[in-house]
């Protein structure tokens, strides 16, 4: 009886690796499918990229640093069985330091740094759901 139980335990423990291989294969297939979709500009995927632009040497004295962070969501919306509407928005978040510091002739009362939103740029594209061959 002990031999039978020991054999079953060995079978169960060794079989756990078989299930792991199947799971790893499925994960690799899913990763491959997602990689292909991310390369397709009309794929049905929501993306939220960020682009940061740092500007060194800003201001009159050239020793300030300004920064612009662009938030750029891309959102596809299904509008029929055959068509998607793909929206892309660019939302800039801007920081500009006081560029007149140390130059009272340019800003007698002293300048202020600025932080806020820039102009929003919205675009929309119609795209077929199936691109075909």
């Amino acid at each position: 009886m002990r031999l039978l139980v020991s054999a079953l335990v060995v079978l169960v423990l060794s079989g756990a690796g078989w299930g792991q291989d199947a799971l790893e294969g499925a994960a690799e297939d899913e990763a491959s499918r997602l990689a292909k979709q991310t390369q397709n500009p009309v794929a049905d995927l929501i993306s939220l990229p960020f682009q940061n632009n740092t500007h060194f040497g800003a201001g009159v004295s050239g020793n300030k640093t300004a920064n612009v962070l662009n938030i750029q969501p891309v959102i596809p919306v299904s509008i029929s069985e055959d068509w998607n509407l793909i929206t892309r928005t660019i939302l800039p978040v801007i920081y500009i330091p006081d560029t007149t510091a140390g130059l009272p002739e340019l800003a007698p009362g002293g300048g202020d740094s600025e932080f806020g939103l820039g102009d929003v740029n919205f675009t929309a594209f119609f795209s077929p759901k199936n691109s075909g061959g």
Side-chain angles (χ1 to χ4, degrees), residues 25-66:
E28 287 175 9
D29 290 344
E30 179 67 12
S32 175
R33 185 183 67 79
L34 284 174
K36 287 179 184 176
Q37 280 188 321
T38 58
Q39 298 301 315
N40 182 359
V42 295
D44 192 17
L45 284 178
I46 294 174
S47 65
L48 185 61
F50 292 87
Q51 177 187 28
N52 190 63
N53 299 305
T54 302
H55 304 280
F56 299 101
V60 177
S61 60
N63 64 353
K64 301 292 182 173
T65 303

Side-chain angles (χ1 to χ4, degrees), residues 50-100:
F50 292 87
Q51 177 187 28
N52 190 63
N53 299 305
T54 302
H55 304 280
F56 299 101
V60 177
S61 60
N63 64 353
K64 301 292 182 173
T65 303
N67 198 63
V68 179
L69 172 67
N70 289 323
I71 303 170
Q72 304 171 321
V74 177
I75 303 171
V77 179
S78 177
I79 57 175
S80 75
E81 289 183 20
D82 298 325
W83 291 93
N84 281 336
L85 176 68
I86 300 172
T87 63
R88 181 172 185 255
T89 306
I90 300 174
L91 177 68
V93 180
I94 303 170
Y95 170 74
I96 299 176
D98 173 15
T99 58
T100 61

Side-chain angles (χ1 to χ4, degrees), residues 95-116:
Y95 170 74
I96 299 176
D98 173 15
T99 58
T100 61
L103 302 169
E105 62 277 4
L106 294 177
D112 291 327
S113 60
E114 298 289 333
F115 178 81

Side-chain angles (χ1 to χ4, degrees), residues 3-19:
L3 183 60
L4 181 61
V5 170
S6 298
L8 284 174
V9 168
V10 168
L11 275 174
V12 168
L13 291 178
S14 66
W18 296 335

